Amino acid sequence: MATADWSKKTSDAPDELRRQWRADRALRPAMRSPGRPDPSRAVQRQFWRQIATGITTAEAALAVGVSVPVGTRWFRHAGGMAPISLAEPTCRYLSFEEREEIAILHAQDKGVREIARVIGRNPGTVSRELRRNAATRGGKQEYRATVAQWKAQQAAKRPKTAKLVTNERLREYVHERLAGNVRRPDGTIVPGPTPAPWKGLNKPHRQDRRWSAAWSPEQIAQRLKIDFPDDESMRISHEAIYQSLFIEGRGALKRELVACLRTGRALRQPRARSQNKPGGHVTADVVLSKRPAEAEDRAVPGHWEGDLIIGTGRSAIGTIVERSSRSTILVHLPRMEGWGEKPYVKNGPSLGGYGAVAMNAALSASITTLPEQLRKTLTWDRGKELSGHAQFAVETGTKVFFADPHSPWQRPSNENTNGLLRQYFPKGTDLSRWSAEDLEAVAHALNNRPRKVLQWKTPAEVFEEQLRSLQQPGVASTG
């Protein structure tokens, strides 16, 4: 039987149409009208494309024609991650423009077949669209493009339960490596500081953060393949972990666990770049260009990078990282006798713990615990704390070289490690309160996290391999 005009069917056979409409509604769950429908997915897709260009949320919202509060809500509720695919839908589905054309032609009392010819669709498609997605708030069916688009989007949703919700074993593995306790080498737990309650802020500034194992989602996802090589159920992508942390309502991981990420951000945002401070004590024979070529390609172990992380009250912790294994040593720099008691003396000795004399002593004590073959060079920034580098080189046999001013990329391993350490030692906190044992525990946690650059081995595992190769007789390192 030929498809009749929908408006004509409404008047000629209201009972039949009503029964058909009720049958269609019975196949779908009840939908509660939210008031004014949200902008179409096409608008949201364009919004996230604008965000991807790097502009602000307000600028992206105005560019696609929605209010700034709406754009901000989209961004925050999605954790800065696009919740929908940015690819254009296939021609299988009616677009919003086609629904607008249907609404206009239907308002002009055009028949179903005529509308189908105009938009290039099957008459059955148009008939189902008019029947299923019409507005019904006034007690009668009226077809509006915006309401039809919203109904179609609601009916097309296929909510999928997150993998971390259904797989308890996988969830416990992820939770333990993301938020697990920091332990000393003997296994005892280091409680760390007592942080303030998490209030949902994007990033905690200048306050204590809870110490945790703090593996990154990518480290967790890749390590699963090593720990469970034959268990396909123990697999998850790092993006799925990020979504569980960032997107509201996922339900698998508590959103407070974003504080266990290295950056502590609750939204996905670009990272800020840091700059080094210049130094004026570097001579021509210790600039980076004079460093041995073997240190550049990381093939030979024993070349280190170093720097300080600074806290309040002239407190600091020294960090040195081996370029080949990425193994980290934290140098304890306690304040010297008389700190806070003697008045400040201009050009007098530094009592904060990282003056030239104190720095040389602490750094020498730390690096001389290594075999001589594993302490060849040390690359530092231009800070004056290592102005006694000549004496340090004589005492330890480790030649010191200095990076160029404002060039943190010349010490990439150390800069990356300092970023990781800020999770345990945030800016704006007193770093002198931590003992050498506490620093050893943090270094132990850092050295036992798998690294992508090490093929998901840990720095401790690679460093142990280096030590074994040195102990084998007749084995020489190659450049």
Side-chain angles (χ1 to χ4, degrees):
M1 183 179 67
T3 304
D5 182 19
W6 185 75
S7 60
K8 187 175 180 180
K9 284 185 67 177
T10 304
S11 58
D12 294 347
D15 294 337
E16 180 183 351
L17 183 62
R18 192 176 296 110
R19 285 195 297 272
Q20 180 64 50
W21 180 77
R22 287 173 179 170
D24 289 340
R25 290 288 294 137
L27 297 176
R28 296 181 292 173
M31 290 189 293
R32 182 179 62 84
S33 174
R36 181 179 180 182
D38 289 333
S40 67
R41 285 190 173 227
V43 175
Q44 297 182 41
R45 200 174 292 114
Q46 185 61 26
F47 170 81
W48 287 105
R49 288 199 189 104
Q50 293 288 333
I51 290 293
T53 64
I55 65 176
T56 65
T57 305
E59 293 171 339
L62 296 176
V64 300
V66 300
S67 67
V68 173
V70 168
T72 302
R73 185 169 65 248
W74 286 352
F75 187 85
R76 294 194 63 85
H77 285 189
M81 307 174 67
I84 59 176
S85 172
L86 300 185
E88 289 293 339
T90 64
C91 296
R92 173 186 174 187
Y93 305 99
L94 288 173
S95 65
F96 180 66
E97 291 75 13
E98 288 176 314
R99 288 190 168 94
E100 286 183 321
E101 190 71 17
I102 292 173
I104 293 172
L105 294 174
H106 179 65
Q108 296 173 356
D109 294 328
K110 303 294 184 182
V112 170
R113 291 187 176 275
E114 185 175 355
I115 295 175
R117 282 194 299 269
V118 172
I119 67 174
R121 291 283 187 172
N122 187 279
T125 301
V126 177
S127 178
R128 285 190 297 272
E129 175 68 18
L130 290 169
R131 185 176 69 248
R132 292 178 177 177
N133 294 331
T136 58
R137 173 172 284 189
K140 58 182 180 178
Q141 292 179 310
E142 295 181 5
Y143 187 83
R144 301 190 194 91
T146 53
V147 176
Q149 181 72 19
W150 173 75
K151 283 194 169 186
Q153 291 175 181
Q154 293 297 106
K157 287 182 177 179
R158 299 293 184 270
K160 183 179 179 181
T161 305
K163 192 171 185 179
L164 290 177
V165 174
T166 58
N167 193 331
E168 183 178 357
R169 182 185 176 202
L170 179 61
R171 182 172 67 251
E172 290 178 354
Y173 181 95
V174 173
H175 188 278
E176 175 63 26
R177 279 144 188 83
L178 181 66
N181 294 314
V182 172
R183 299 177 183 271
R184 294 187 174 91
D186 60 2
T188 58
I189 296 177
V190 181
T194 302
W198 189 76
K199 298 181 180 179
L201 300 179
N202 182 32
K203 185 177 180 181
H205 288 281
R206 301 192 179 279
Q207 63 185 29
D208 285 328
R209 297 173 60 187
R210 186 175 77 83
W211 286 8
S212 63
W215 287 24
S216 73
E218 188 174 13
Q219 288 170 334
I220 295 172
Q222 296 297 334
R223 188 70 186 194
L224 280 166
K225 301 175 184 177
I226 298 176
D227 293 345
F228 304 94
D230 301 322
D231 189 353
E232 291 296 325
S233 67
M234 296 294 287
R235 298 287 186 272
I236 191 171
S237 68
H238 62 277
E239 281 296 312
I241 300 176
Y242 276 120
Q243 288 179 8
S244 295
L245 293 173
F246 288 163
I247 300 178
E248 294 183 4
R250 295 289 291 185
L253 298 174
K254 293 183 179 180
R255 202 154 184 248
E256 300 90 277
L257 293 182
V258 297
C260 296
L261 297 176
R262 179 179 66 82
T263 61
R265 295 191 182 102
L267 299 173
R268 175 169 284 179
Q269 291 182 350
R271 298 176 180 173
R273 299 179 64 181
S274 60
Q275 292 185 340
N276 284 336
K277 296 183 178 180
H281 59 281
V282 180
T283 56
D285 60 326
V286 293
V287 295
L288 189 70
S289 59
K290 300 296 184 180
R291 189 176 66 177
E294 68 176 24
E296 185 65 29
D297 58 10
R298 301 175 186 265
V300 179
H303 300 280
W304 298 77
E305 299 173 2
D307 195 8
L308 296 178
I309 55 175
I310 306 297
T312 58
R314 301 288 295 174
S315 60
I317 297 174
T319 65
I320 52 177
V321 183
E322 206 274 317
R323 285 176 56 83
S324 179
S325 66
R326 275 70 173 184
S327 183
T328 301
I329 297 176
L330 299 185
V331 182
H332 186 225
L333 299 171
R335 292 185 176 128
M336 300 182 68
E337 184 180 355
W339 166 262
E341 301 173 359
K342 299 179 180 179
Y344 170 74
V345 178
K346 186 176 181 179
N347 297 327
S350 174
L351 303 179
Y354 60 97
V357 177
M359 189 71 207
N360 266 13
L363 194 59
S364 298
S366 296
I367 206 166
T368 51
T369 60
L370 302 170
E372 187 176 354
Q373 300 95 318
L374 290 182
R375 43 185 169 95
K376 299 175 181 177
T377 68
L378 174 63
T379 303
W380 205 265
D381 72 348
R382 299 246 168 166
K384 293 184 178 180
E385 64 274 0
L386 211 59
S387 57
H389 58 87
Q391 182 65 27
F392 170 80
V394 171
E395 294 175 353
T396 64
T398 304
K399 184 67 174 177
V400 178
F401 298 92
F402 293 92
D404 298 330
H406 304 289
S407 303
W409 56 87
Q410 295 177 348
R411 300 176 299 102
S413 298
N414 185 247
E415 285 292 322
N416 178 65
T417 301
N418 287 349
L420 299 176
L421 288 169
R422 280 302 184 186
Q423 179 166 356
Y424 303 96
F425 311 111
K427 293 182 179 179
T429 59
D430 184 1
L431 304 183
S432 65
R433 54 184 162 160
W434 306 119
S435 66
E437 290 75 17
D438 293 331
L439 301 190
E440 183 182 4
V442 174
H444 178 75
L446 217 60
N447 289 332
N448 283 276
R449 292 175 60 185
R451 300 289 183 91
K452 181 177 181 179
V453 73
L454 301 177
Q455 306 303 317
W456 304 111
K457 293 182 179 180
T458 66
E461 292 170 345
V462 177
F463 194 72
E464 184 65 26
E465 292 174 2
Q466 293 175 352
L467 290 175
R468 284 199 301 267
S469 66
L470 292 176
Q471 293 169 359
Q472 294 176 4
V475 177
S477 60
T478 57

